[in-house]
Amino acid sequence: MGELECDITSVISNHDDLRSMVEWHGIPFHHVPVDPQNKVPAFNKVAQLIDDQQADLRGVGALYANNLPPELCRRFANRG
């Protein structure tokens, strides 16, 4: 849409709601559902996706921002 001066490598979300809009813009979309009883697998998947893309900066949506474990934040603290 030209509103941000950046390259968006992908969108990672725990919901599929905006998948079509993201993909319409040609941006890869990764649906990573989070089991409230065991969030570790989802956070491991998010970390792997970030590593695979070698992203410099991550924008974190509301749900993930409220639930990301401190160790995951520390892991990427020096990347942007």
Side-chain angles (χ1 to χ4, degrees):
M1 296 172 61
E3 294 182 21
L4 298 173
E5 290 188 34
C6 65
D7 294 320
I8 300 173
T9 59
S10 72
V11 170
I12 304 168
S13 177
N14 61 319
H15 296 285
D16 255 342
D17 300 352
L18 298 176
R19 175 187 287 271
S20 62
M21 183 185 78
V22 171
E23 291 177 341
W24 184 85
H25 286 282
I27 300 168
F29 184 93
H30 305 280
H31 179 226
V32 181
V34 179
D35 176 356
Q37 303 304 317
N38 184 11
K39 298 176 183 179
V40 173
F43 293 138
N44 288 340
K45 178 66 176 175
V46 168
Q48 184 62 52
L49 288 166
I50 293 170
D51 277 339
D52 289 349
Q53 296 170 42
Q54 299 178 349
D56 292 330
L57 179 66
R58 282 120 347 253
V60 178
L63 181 62
Y64 282 135
N66 290 327
N67 293 294
L68 284 176
E71 58 272 10
L72 188 61
C73 295
R74 282 190 295 274
R75 178 175 174 177
F76 298 110
N78 296 323
R79 279 216 211 161

